Amino acid sequence: MSAGTDTAHDGALATPGAALPVPLRLLIGGAWVAGDGAPLASRNPARPDEVVAEGTQAVPADVDRAVRAARATAREWARTPIHARGAVLARAAAALEERADQLGLELAREEGKTLAEGTGEVLRAAQILRYYAGEGDRVAGEHFASPRRGERILVTRRPLGVVGIVTPFNFPIAIPAWKIAPALVYGNTVVWKPASTVPLLAMRLAEALDGAGLPAGTLNLLIGPGALGTALVRQPGLDGLSFTGSTGVGRMLAGEAASRGVPFQGEMGGKNAAIVLADADLDLAAEQVLFGAFRSSGQKCTATSRLIVADEVADEFLALLTARLDAWRLGDPTDPSVHMGPLVTPAAAEGVRAAIAAAEAEGARVAYCGPSPAASDGGDAPSAFVPPTVLEVGAGSPVGDHAAAGERPASCVPCGNTAWREELFGPVLAMRRAASTEEAFALAEDSEFGLSAALFTRGIATALEAVDALDVGILHVNSESAGADPHVPFGGAKKSGYGPKEQGAAAREFFTHTTTVYLRG
């Protein structure tokens, strides 16, 4: 473990479910320290009076300190053998696995996803660390023949240097893991700014990596407001920035990075469609659409937020889906019988409620709205809860570039409804009916985003057609739109992604650059 660890901080590790809030600390240059900024309290969205963790935030001067610390150790870390770097990740993975139940409970209390999902996310973070821990045993470069006698051409890879990582609230340990693990194993040092709504799980991941033997300054954790991300990208010592979050913030950071010539990797918005065709297994489709739309309260960039159903089976499918939703229990996410918890904050829930109201005012019909916790538990519903909602929307006025003539069948009219067009990041599913497979595919393409899509069909020819017709980064056939494995590329098309993809071997395309070596004896 790095020098300078705060002893009171260590003592907090054994009390994840205690009434007392866990003290928050920053990690800068190997020392766990309190921030000099404003106070920060991480509250349980299911129980707003319960403070899960609290501390003080970082200030802009801490960004400079963290980047300087990362720069100071960058050369030595890059020269550390990749197998040794991977061993650190493997030890951190073991630490997460050992404490998965404890950390899963903290995640459920802090972010609002169910206990099962929270524990599963901690284990997924460990899986990601283990995958990259084995990178030293994979292909490290390429060898080319030379047109000149006695010469060989080698293509090797080098780390970028000091990399900034900015992560969102919705997967507070898995998304950071899939950025930080490749960054570190490829020899970069890291300055990480997580979402300030989920600081405890960020601290837990940093603890696992720090305790696994990272040299001081190799990983730096800055907990604080969004302005720290802007300060980070403007740092002269930064060599790259990887971001996951909202489209607006991502575009702003991409612009800042481009103005300084800093490589940028961005995973941004999604408005993911599930297409249910007439030949689909409707029971399977109903199950998978429910999982894709309403697990994690819809707070996934890959969540199903648009539903396109063949007209001839639409009523039957909707009946199957609503029957499943009737058994879908909303409540405290730490209760093992609960299927869906609250949104991350009351403000986030209020924004989703306002969007539902706007969609109704624009003509959407409420096809389903589940009960609030008050309806089943007999009390006032906490304001962070939004019940699962299905809105059927119709055609509207053409919107944007997608309205260009000749892009879709005449029957496929673009929809301008808020629920169809905007990423609401909540448990809201906008539904449209399609008269044909061609129209269904065109409706799926009626979005500026292209992260993920799901297709339900028994026809292999139809599935193959979808591969060509749907411009998305991830296509699921007969499974939910959400989900990603660490050994394959993850990322979106169109305005959902910017720069190289994440995860798998694709990650090294961002976190390293090539050196072509002409080698002659």
Side-chain angles (χ1 to χ4, degrees):
M1 180 175 289
S2 303
T5 301
D6 185 290
T7 54
H9 170 81
D10 280 344
L13 301 185
T15 58
L20 291 176
V22 177
L24 297 170
R25 295 289 187 270
L26 317 178
L27 178 60
I28 302 176
W32 289 97
V33 297
D36 293 325
L40 174 66
S42 176
R43 296 183 178 275
N44 183 341
R47 304 172 184 270
D49 292 337
E50 179 183 309
V51 178
V52 178
E54 63 183 1
T56 48
Q57 303 181 66
V59 295
D62 294 321
V63 178
D64 181 65
R65 291 172 54 212
V67 171
R68 282 191 282 108
R71 175 64 60 194
T73 194
R75 178 175 172 80
E76 185 59 30
W77 180 246
R79 293 172 64 86
T80 300
I82 190 170
H83 287 83
R85 299 195 297 255
V88 173
L89 299 186
R91 289 192 293 270
L96 293 182
E97 289 166 344
E98 183 179 349
R99 302 174 62 202
D101 291 341
Q102 171 191 349
L103 300 188
L105 176 61
E106 288 185 340
L107 199 160
R109 292 173 62 226
E110 180 176 57
E111 192 266 346
K113 58 168 54 85
T114 65
L115 185 59
E117 288 179 298
T119 303
E121 183 182 336
V122 174
L123 292 173
R124 173 53 61 92
Q127 180 191 20
I128 293 164
L129 293 174
R130 285 200 183 279
Y131 172 82
Y132 284 106
E135 193 64 13
D137 295 331
R138 302 185 185 110
V139 174
E142 297 172 288
H143 170 214
F144 293 87
S146 171
R148 292 164 292 279
R149 184 186 298 273
E151 183 178 72
R152 297 290 184 269
I153 302 175
L154 310 179
V155 177
T156 64
R157 289 188 172 270
R158 296 175 57 88
L160 292 181
V162 177
V163 174
I165 303 288
V166 179
T167 56
F169 75 84
N170 57 327
F171 285 89
I173 194 166
I175 288 179
W178 82 40
K179 293 177 183 291
I180 293 171
L184 291 175
V185 83
Y186 292 130
N188 299 278
T189 55
V190 172
V191 178
W192 171 29
K193 185 252 176 288
S196 59
T197 46
V198 287
L200 177 55
L201 265 293
M203 192 176 75
R204 294 310 195 204
L205 177 58
E207 286 171 349
L209 288 162
D210 181 46
L214 279 179
T218 308
L219 172 66
N220 302 272
L221 171 67
L222 300 175
I223 296 170
L228 294 180
T230 306
L232 179 57
V233 75
R234 291 175 177 171
Q235 275 288 318
L238 196 72
D239 299 307
L241 182 72
S242 181
F243 167 84
T244 295
S246 71
T247 301
V249 174
R251 289 175 180 173
M252 182 273 291
L253 291 176
E256 290 277 359
S259 71
R260 295 191 47 250
V262 172
F264 179 82
Q265 177 189 60
E267 195 276 290
M268 294 176 276
K271 194 66 183 170
N272 312 296
I275 303 166
V276 181
L277 298 180
D279 68 341
D281 180 333
L282 296 186
D283 282 318
L284 171 68
E287 174 196 66
Q288 294 297 303
V289 168
L290 180 145
F291 291 162
F294 302 115
R295 276 180 172 168
S296 298
S297 303
Q299 296 175 125
K300 296 180 180 180
C301 55
T302 53
T304 302
S305 56
R306 294 185 299 146
L307 172 63
I308 300 153
V309 189
D311 196 35
E312 58 263 51
V313 298
D315 290 335
E316 180 183 359
F317 177 81
L318 189 57
L320 290 169
L321 178 61
T322 56
R324 288 180 176 274
L325 283 169
D326 283 339
W328 193 252
R329 188 176 173 212
L330 177 65
D332 188 327
T334 63
D335 180 345
S337 69
V338 163
H339 299 98
M340 192 178 93
L343 272 67
V344 67
T345 63
E350 183 56 36
V352 172
R353 286 190 285 268
I356 293 171
E360 289 188 76
E362 294 161 3
R365 177 183 72 86
V366 178
Y368 183 87
C369 183
S372 70
S376 58
D377 297 340
D380 293 332
S383 60
F385 285 95
V386 175
T389 304
V390 181
L391 302 174
E392 184 164 6
V393 300
S397 301
V399 176
D401 296 338
H402 295 283
E407 284 192 15
R408 55 168 50 80
S411 60
C412 178
V413 180
C415 179
N417 190 281
T418 294
W420 183 262
R421 188 65 53 190
E422 297 181 10
E423 184 181 31
L424 306 186
F425 228 62
V428 182
L429 185 60
M431 171 183 167
R432 287 191 72 178
R433 300 169 188 245
S436 65
T437 298
E438 180 186 22
E439 182 177 354
F441 288 172
L443 286 170
E445 282 293 286
D446 182 30
S447 175
E448 67 176 351
F449 299 116
L451 179 53
S452 183
L455 171 66
F456 296 90
T457 179
R458 287 187 171 95
I460 186 65
T462 306
L464 291 173
E465 181 185 352
V467 173
D468 292 331
L470 302 179
D471 187 11
V472 292
I474 305 160
L475 176 61
H476 293 261
V477 179
N478 294 320
S479 62
E480 62 171 298
S481 64
D485 288 304
H487 63 294
V488 292
F490 177 89
K494 297 192 281 190
K495 294 183 179 179
S496 287
Y498 187 99
K501 298 290 179 69
E502 299 188 277
Q503 300 207 78
R508 73 176 187 170
E509 298 303 318
F510 178 71
F511 289 111
T512 68
H513 69 80
T514 60
T515 298
T516 302
V517 181
Y518 292 86
L519 181 62
R520 181 179 296 179

